[in-house]
Amino acid sequence: MSNQITVTNPATGEVLAQIPADSADTVNAKLKAGHEAFKKFSKTTAYERAALLEKWAELILANKQELAEIMTKENGKPLPESLGEAAYTASYLTWYAEEAKRLYGRTIPAATSSKRLLVTQQGIGLVAAITPWNFPAAMMTRKAGPALAAGCTFIVKPAEDTPLTMIRLVELAHEAGIPKDVVQIVNGKGSEIGPLFTGSDYVRKITFTGSTPVGKLLIQQSAETVKGVSMELGGHAPFIICEDADIDYAVTQALASKFRNAGQTCVCANRFLVHESVVAEFSEKFAKAAAALKVGNGMDAGVEVGPVINKKGFDKIVEQIEDAKAKGATVLAGGTTNHDVEKGYFFINPTVLGNVTHDMNIMQEETFGPVAPIVSFKTYEEAVEIANNTPFGLAAYFFTDNYKRGIFFQENLDFGILGWNDGLPSTAQAPFGGMKESGIGSEGGIEGIQPYLETKYLSIGNI
Ligand code: ADP
């Protein structure tokens, strides 16, 4: 296994840290420790676990500036976004601290008077998580919050690009009083740690946020030991704008949904579908607003769009822009980069493309970058058909003040998360999950704790 991970700042190319990768033996020892710790931790009361989660959240908020600076340096997102993520990270812990107290069972009326039937829920065991670099902190607590609330122990492998945030987050968990073996971290390459997680008998649940191909691999690997899997995978979100929409408002939401985190979220708007009667107005206003966004190092004041994460991401986005241009797209904003392959910084200026056709790669593949393709539609049936014509089914957005149209979209879009006149629907108290190849299960809300629970049924006889 590789034994070092080099963490670099995507805005400057500066090496931030060299951290040791865990050996297979260390990973296995931590898995065993997590399994052993479950025996005791699962017997704590919901109130004890809630207090630990609340304390952890409190420490995250008390240290949010430090956490946010680590995030901005290793991920590139502007500092205000990192501060927002710190608060969002804590919100999953406080939400699940409350849910811990609501893990009710039930009694079932029996068919004979001599029996009593009871159903209880209990933590599933050791949970192994693999998390992505785009939300280096929040994607951890969205899993660890409900897992710990349910009485599970937890081990996480962060993305190689952003391990520093996770290291600090786990330290804060321990400072909050969560035992060391109850929340653990391992570092290393996904392809090396993944099989150790999926192959271990100690692990009872794999929870993953990342790309669909890696998710499919983890599902296959988990079959061998019949592990539960929760998968938050890729998206290809349509952003539909109707003729009656408030266009200025839709532009503000489109900017937030498209360019947040430099377009690198799985719920980012990917395909702008605009009614033919308003496409000219929307395109002009949106392109103007996108061109005015300040691009730069996320640590600098006023920066709204940071770099993309690494060369691989950068190359894919540039290739999509070039492919679209070659097939006839018009560049309405951006289309340019500011990068230095030697030093390795990766800025792509917010890009808006018009005259887009369905044969362009950008309409077929997930775009993990600050590029917005616009296509027009004539009828709402056509908009839904274009929107659903993808193996993905994570988020979809629609803008209309007409309630019949809104309900039509709500009922016909095959996506797990819908924003009606809302470009930022994610929140700790609501379920976040995808249909089709976008995932299995939901995180957040009352749904988000179920994957970490086992159901136990007890039949008492001879009464
Ligand atoms: P991206 O291409 O956006 O980086 P990935 O799905 O590759 O998305 O990465 C998300 C997480 O999955 C990271 O923590 C990464 O280390 C991990 N990962 C990558 N490849 C594998 C693999 N073969 N098995 C398990 N985890 C993996």
Side-chain angles (χ1 to χ4, degrees):
M1 310 223 323
S2 14
N3 51 17
Q4 285 282 344
I5 297 171
T6 304
V7 189
T8 52
N9 183 335
T12 62
E14 175 202 358
V15 172
L16 296 170
Q18 297 266 8
I19 58 162
D22 288 281
S23 67
D25 285 350
T26 314
V27 175
N28 287 329
K30 287 184 179 181
L31 292 172
K32 184 163 194 281
H35 169 72
E36 291 298 325
F38 175 70
K39 292 175 189 162
K40 191 163 163 206
F41 190 67
S42 58
K43 300 294 184 295
T44 55
T45 67
Y47 285 81
E48 287 166 328
R49 298 196 297 274
L52 290 172
L53 291 174
E54 274 163 15
K55 182 71 192 166
W56 187 11
E58 202 182 301
L59 288 181
I60 289 169
L61 295 177
N63 292 278
K64 68 174 185 207
Q65 185 69 26
E66 183 204 350
L67 261 180
E69 287 180 13
I70 301 173
M71 257 188 264
T72 291
K73 285 184 186 156
E74 65 178 356
N75 164 284
K77 66 175 71 179
L79 195 59
E81 283 189 34
S82 297
L83 284 165
E85 180 171 346
Y88 186 54
T89 300
S91 74
Y92 282 98
L93 301 177
T94 48
W95 166 263
Y96 283 107
E98 295 304 319
E99 282 304 289
K101 303 168 195 166
R102 302 194 180 103
L103 296 178
Y104 308 123
R106 70 187 202 278
T107 58
I108 303 172
T112 60
S113 61
S114 65
K115 284 197 176 198
R116 300 292 180 273
L117 313 182
L118 264 68
V119 181
T120 53
Q121 299 190 95
Q122 64 184 50
I124 195 167
L126 172 63
V127 172
I130 297 177
T131 56
W133 47 262
N134 62 345
F135 290 93
M139 294 306 99
M140 193 271 199
T141 57
R142 192 151 88 171
K143 302 173 189 311
L148 267 62
C152 298
T153 51
F154 192 82
I155 188 163
V156 61
K157 190 212 79 69
E160 294 93 305
D161 287 307
T162 58
L164 304 178
T165 306
M166 190 69 79
I167 290 171
R168 189 70 190 115
L169 199 56
V170 170
E171 278 171 10
L172 291 173
H174 297 153
E175 280 172 40
I178 297 172
K180 288 217 154 27
D181 293 343
V182 169
V183 171
Q184 301 183 90
I185 176 173
V186 292
N187 276 300
K189 275 185 77 173
S191 56
E192 293 173 356
I193 307 273
L196 297 175
F197 280 2
T198 52
S200 168
D201 285 328
Y202 295 132
V203 174
R204 290 316 313 148
K205 173 93 200 175
I206 296 286
T207 172
F208 173 71
T209 299
S211 61
T212 295
V214 173
K216 288 181 180 176
L217 198 67
L218 290 169
I219 295 168
Q220 281 171 4
Q221 291 171 355
S222 297
E224 199 54 43
T225 49
V226 193
K227 285 188 209 327
V229 290
S230 290
M231 295 283 147
E232 294 295 345
L233 308 177
H236 198 26
F239 193 103
I240 301 168
I241 298 168
C242 298
E243 78 227 71
D244 65 283
D246 176 339
I247 299 295
D248 292 328
Y249 172 73
V251 167
T252 64
Q253 297 297 294
L255 285 180
S257 177
K258 177 69 258 183
F259 298 114
R260 178 171 68 118
N261 211 356
Q264 303 167 110
T265 87
C266 46
V267 293
C268 269
N270 263 279
R271 298 171 290 156
F272 288 84
L273 313 180
V274 189
H275 191 267
E276 59 179 359
S277 64
V278 289
V279 70
E281 182 190 355
F282 174 78
S283 301
E284 192 198 323
K285 289 181 170 171
F286 183 44
K288 198 168 158 214
L293 291 171
K294 188 172 172 194
V295 181
N297 185 332
M299 293 300 285
D300 295 342
V303 164
E304 294 162 292
V305 180
V308 298
I309 189 73
N310 54 29
K311 180 157 186 342
K312 188 175 141 222
F314 177 88
D315 287 346
K316 183 180 168 207
I317 300 159
V318 171
E319 196 186 296
Q320 285 186 345
I321 297 173
E322 292 310 318
D323 168 78
K325 279 174 21 188
K327 290 174 181 159
T330 323
V331 177
L332 304 175
T336 49
T337 61
N338 168 15
H339 73 287
D340 184 324
V341 174
E342 294 285 299
K343 288 193 184 138
Y345 48 87
F346 308 108
F347 297 100
I348 296 179
N349 292 317
T351 299
V352 179
L353 302 172
N355 279 336
V356 169
T357 49
H358 298 288
D359 59 330
M360 297 175 185
N361 292 346
I362 200 158
M363 290 298 286
Q364 305 298 329
E365 307 165 347
E366 182 176 28
T367 311
F368 232 58
V371 186
I374 301 176
V375 294
S376 70
F377 66 85
K378 284 188 192 341
T379 67
Y380 298 102
E381 288 76 12
E382 184 194 353
V384 165
E385 201 180 309
I386 300 170
N388 287 343
N389 186 18
T390 164
F392 296 112
L394 191 58
Y397 307 89
F398 46 95
F399 285 72
T400 176
D401 286 343
N402 178 317
Y403 77 93
K404 287 186 186 169
R405 249 171 232 157
I407 295 296
F408 172 76
F409 287 125
Q410 192 275 335
E411 291 179 352
N412 290 289
L413 286 170
D414 296 334
F415 294 81
I417 304 161
L418 301 176
W420 180 354
N421 292 342
D422 186 2
L424 297 171
S426 308
T427 178
Q429 63 271 31
F432 181 111
M435 296 182 179
K436 303 195 295 194
E437 292 193 16
S438 286
I440 300 175
S442 292
E443 295 187 323
I446 55 172
E447 290 83 357
I449 199 164
Q450 288 304 321
Y452 302 103
L453 294 167
E454 291 277 27
T455 295
K456 199 179 254 179
Y457 158 59
L458 173 69
S459 175
I460 310 170
N462 196 22
I463 293 171

